[in-house]
Amino acid sequence: MTITFITGNQHKVKEAQGIFHQFNIQVEHIDLGYPEIQGELIDVARFGAEDAARRLGRPVIVEDAGLFIKALNWFPGTYSAYVQDTLGNQGILKLMNNVKDRYAEFRSVIGFATPKTEPETFLGVVGGQIAHQEKGKHGFAYDPLFIPEGHSLSFGELTREEKNEFSHRRQSLENFAQWYKDFISK
Ligand code: ITT
Ligand code: NA
């Protein structure tokens, strides 16, 4: 089976292909663009999926993700894309200068919709620590800053396959894939 993934982010597509492979789901990537309302991940994903499914006339998934840092009141959170493009990782490290509690979460919400049905959402979360400097050249965006719980290497130091084993995206896509198998067979 196939699912259409609407995103402007090639890294997400590659990760999704790796994760969906073991569920026998093929990914078709379309960079359609969709209105990203400002709000909670779940609302952005729901609204984006519904809009894209209607315009494209077929079932789609979209994803809204972000890095949520506890000591910064969960900033950048829903502002993650804007903050990555402006402050960048060095800006985040400045904000975290001398901050002891370095707990953070990556969160991913997959939105699924068809032209006719109400959207569904699927959550994935991974906890970890903000590193004291950028580490590693793998991955993208915030990956060199994030050391997942129980590991000493950052997402930037893990291969795509290693990150895919337990990332926020792994969990949200797996939750979706399990649900989708039933949905398709109905
Ligand atoms: P879309 O077209 O799918 O929206 P995007 O890159 O804008 O792609 P998001 O809004 O979901 O994606 O992501 C918000 C920000 O968080 C953005 O700067 C991403 O690059 C970054 N981000 C998302 N997932 C990440 C991950 O797994 N590792 C590192 N950074 C990530
Ligand atoms: Na986005």
Side-chain angles (χ1 to χ4, degrees):
M1 54 191 149
T2 301
I3 188 74
T4 301
F5 187 10
I6 308 292
T7 176
N9 186 324
Q10 285 287 351
H11 301 279
K12 287 185 177 184
V13 177
K14 289 234 174 69
E15 291 187 6
Q17 282 167 339
I19 292 162
F20 278 152
H21 184 72
Q22 72 189 85
F23 294 93
N24 268 316
I25 298 174
Q26 260 53 257
V27 180
E28 185 190 9
H29 173 216
I30 300 183
D31 186 0
L32 180 70
Y34 59 90
E36 279 194 47
I37 56 169
Q38 185 56 51
E40 302 291 316
L41 300 188
I42 196 164
D43 296 322
V44 177
R46 194 188 288 280
F47 189 86
E50 191 167 38
D51 179 85
R54 293 209 171 134
R55 277 191 297 138
L56 210 57
R58 68 169 105 149
V60 300
I61 57 171
V62 304
E63 184 202 26
D64 199 37
L67 179 66
F68 292 73
I69 303 175
K70 188 176 175 204
L72 304 180
N73 279 314
W74 307 110
F75 182 84
T78 58
Y79 301 99
S80 290
Y82 177 75
V83 169
Q84 177 62 217
D85 293 343
T86 53
L87 298 182
N89 288 346
Q90 288 304 317
I92 295 287
L93 286 174
K94 270 198 195 128
L95 293 175
M96 291 299 284
N97 197 16
N98 292 320
V99 175
K100 290 242 156 53
D101 176 5
R102 305 190 73 85
Y103 181 79
E105 292 174 356
F106 264 125
R107 300 181 196 160
S108 159
V109 175
I110 297 296
F112 168 84
T114 75
K116 285 180 186 158
T117 57
E118 285 295 304
E120 302 275 344
T121 56
F122 305 86
L123 174 68
V125 180
V126 62
Q129 303 284 319
I130 299 298
H132 289 272
Q133 74 254 322
E134 293 188 73
K135 300 198 305 164
K137 299 253 180 279
H138 292 291
F140 62 100
Y142 296 105
D143 281 340
L145 285 187
F146 185 80
I147 303 170
E149 212 91 78
H151 293 253
S152 53
L153 300 178
S154 75
F155 269 172
E157 294 173 299
L158 300 182
T159 64
R160 188 188 305 131
E161 290 71 27
E162 289 167 333
K163 179 184 171 190
N164 268 352
E165 280 171 29
F166 62 93
S167 70
H168 49 311
R169 184 159 297 109
R170 163 58 180 231
Q171 297 172 42
S172 60
L173 287 175
E174 186 168 328
N175 287 337
F176 164 74
Q178 278 158 357
W179 175 89
Y180 188 57
K181 292 224 170 222
D182 286 346
F183 177 83
I184 285 285
S185 64
K186 269 181 198 147

